[in-house]
Amino acid sequence: MNTTASLPPINALTLVQSASLSHLVADSIEEMILGGTLRPGVRLNEVTLAQQFGISRGPLREALSMLEGSGLITQEKNRSAHVRQISLAEAADIYDVRAGLDAAAGRLLAQRISDEQLQTLRVMTSAMHKVQPDDVDRFHELNLRFHDTIVAMTGNAVLIDQYRKLCKLLVLFRRRNLMAPMAIPMFAEEHATIVDFIAERDGMGAAEALFAHAQGGKMRMMKDGEM
Amino acid sequence: MNTTASLPPINALTLVQSASLSHLVADSIEEMILGGTLRPGVRLNEVTLAQQFGISRGPLREALSMLEGSGLITQEKNRSAHVRQISLAEAADIYDVRAGLDAAAGRLLAQRISDEQLQTLRVMTSAMHKVQPDDVDRFHELNLRFHDTIVAMTGNAVLIDQYRKLCKLLVLFRRRNLMAPMAIPMFAEEHATIVDFIAERDGMGAAEALFAHAQGGKMRMMKDGEM
DNA sequence: CCGTATTTGTCCGTATGTATG
DNA sequence: ACATACATACGGACAAATACG
């Protein structure tokens, strides 16, 4: 039992006892970062954070160690931890790696996709075709889900893990993913093409299409960055 | 000052003050794992380890948290940490992801390689052609270095980081990388082909060749595993 | 299956050195 | 140069879970 007051902290850390406190807190901080409560560059004071969560410094420091490993925060010796800031150049690097993982996922999935999975992808692409041309947010969400689904369908836990970690990092990049409304139909069309390659079991074609598709996204991001 | 004895522990943790104790210890444990001092499956007792390093449990637990994040150890609540064991299926997954990163690296490098870098790669491939057919270990080392060099030459820090983490994980796979001596010339030839693609700035060709090359390695590994 | 020993998870107090205004 | 805030690390403590005989 806690000897301290342990009033209901920021998030409900209770209820789940399957994971250790440090894991719970790490997940909680991660949510706060990804959700925008803790913005990039924000300083993370150990005592303050520990008090907010109603825990001691020990588990909190362990949580910070984990978060540093996943790249969500940075730590320098004897200096406070900070929520990581991703520069334009770093974001470009992440985009490139993610493109590589996208391509790998497509290639692998083309070797092993089931009819049912294919059906799911088809439903997703048709849904994207129906998005209102000005509903950029909606399309952006569907786009992320489409690519995540392709990765998830490979069943490769290592790939899924790495891919999602990269996606999380991109949230730390300051610029919002601006997508020109007129680019939406083209994007939807590219998705359909990708699914076609996978359906034909053309791993190479799928990989190429996915990489090019991702590179297109990167280019738009870079262009925004220069402005 | 240390109030404890702090006799020279297993490794020399002193001298470097740029990183925190937990980082130093994490690196040290990582070395012990990769070097074979700590074999897969070995139980890691907190107090014992802490005593061996001459530190307290706090920093040691932080180090373990980091190592869990990089996949070198596993932790379950209320149970000792263990050096991770990689199953055949997991190794296969890792091989696939690494193949994807290899392909991505080749594709990126084809876009930006310098003449000097190209020269370096050519030297490496010619060195591989000259390896004695029975010197499997030597070739294996050159092989790892060749691929690491391609990745490193991209200058993409994220890619380099992920790639090397995956390579480390494969060390935890129990089976040694058996390579049939007769396969060596073929491997060397494939490397030469890959460099040719990169030299021609054919990113797609390089990616395909690298992925196929890596898949070949995976196949041999899987076959050994089944025996 | 039970009782005991071990080990982890967590907290607290404290000392020390490093950064910051 | 000084004071304050803070991170780093130590050590002791104890409950609870686990491992063991």
Side-chain angles (χ1 to χ4, degrees), chain B residues 89-165:
Chain B
E90 286 171 311
D93 279 357
I94 296 171
Y95 263 88
D96 282 339
V97 179
R98 194 179 64 171
L101 294 184
D102 273 321
R107 202 187 311 249
L108 294 172
L109 189 56
Q111 301 169 358
R112 57 179 84 155
I113 193 168
S114 71
D115 292 346
E116 194 183 358
Q117 288 175 323
L118 199 50
Q119 181 61 19
T120 303
L121 288 183
R122 286 248 147 87
V123 170
M124 293 182 84
T125 53
S126 73
M128 279 183 282
H129 276 297
K130 289 173 197 150
V131 172
Q132 301 300 322
D134 59 337
D135 199 348
V136 180
D137 287 345
R138 171 82 180 137
F139 188 83
H140 186 242
E141 192 199 320
L142 288 180
N143 182 45
L144 288 181
R145 187 142 60 198
F146 174 74
H147 289 289
D148 186 85
T149 302
I150 288 181
V151 170
M153 281 180 174
T154 66
N156 184 325
V158 179
L159 178 62
I160 296 170
D161 187 60
Q162 303 245 20
Y163 186 82
R164 290 188 177 156
K165 270 185 188 161

Side-chain angles (χ1 to χ4, degrees), chain B residues 29-222:
Chain B
I29 296 177
E30 178 177 313
E31 272 180 42
M32 289 160 73
I33 292 176
L34 298 181
T37 308
L38 293 174
R39 309 208 82 100
V42 160
R43 186 172 163 178
L44 301 174
N45 183 307
E46 288 184 6
V47 260
T48 308
L49 263 182
Q51 284 174 350
Q52 286 179 328
F53 285 110
I55 65 173
S56 64
R57 281 177 66 209
L60 183 97
R61 285 177 59 86
E62 291 167 24
L64 293 182
S65 297
M66 299 180 208
L67 292 171
E68 188 194 13
S70 57
L72 289 175
I73 71 170
T74 56
Q75 297 211 81
E76 284 175 86
K77 194 183 181 188
N78 294 322
R79 312 190 61 216
S80 294
H82 290 263
V83 179
R84 182 167 171 195
Q85 283 174 311
I86 304 276
S87 68
L88 179 64
E90 286 171 311
D93 279 357
I94 296 171
Y95 263 88
D96 282 339
V97 179
R98 194 179 64 171
L101 294 184
D102 273 321
R107 202 187 311 249
L108 294 172
L109 189 56
Q111 301 169 358
R112 57 179 84 155
I113 193 168
S114 71
D115 292 346
E116 194 183 358
Q117 288 175 323
L118 199 50
Q119 181 61 19
T120 303
L121 288 183
R122 286 248 147 87
V123 170
M124 293 182 84
T125 53
S126 73
M128 279 183 282
H129 276 297
K130 289 173 197 150
V131 172
Q132 301 300 322
D134 59 337
D135 199 348
V136 180
D137 287 345
R138 171 82 180 137
F139 188 83
H140 186 242
E141 192 199 320
L142 288 180
N143 182 45
L144 288 181
R145 187 142 60 198
F146 174 74
H147 289 289
D148 186 85
T149 302
I150 288 181
V151 170
M153 281 180 174
T154 66
N156 184 325
V158 179
L159 178 62
I160 296 170
D161 187 60
Q162 303 245 20
Y163 186 82
R164 290 188 177 156
K165 270 185 188 161
L166 284 184
C167 291
K168 285 174 189 169
L169 284 189
L170 278 180
V171 178
L172 298 185
F173 184 57
R174 52 195 177 292
R175 263 167 277 276
R176 274 286 136 244
N177 213 336
L178 304 179
M179 189 182 294
M182 61 177 217
I184 287 187
M186 185 192 72
F187 248 59
E189 204 49 54
E190 289 180 10
H191 284 184
T193 305
I194 288 164
V195 176
D196 286 341
F197 275 122
I198 294 175
E200 292 160 21
R201 268 66 180 173
D202 182 353
M204 181 171 143
E208 288 303 318
L210 275 158
F211 195 87
H213 177 70
Q215 292 289 79
K218 177 192 163 194
M219 290 310 176
R220 267 195 312 290
M221 185 271 297
M222 298 290 286

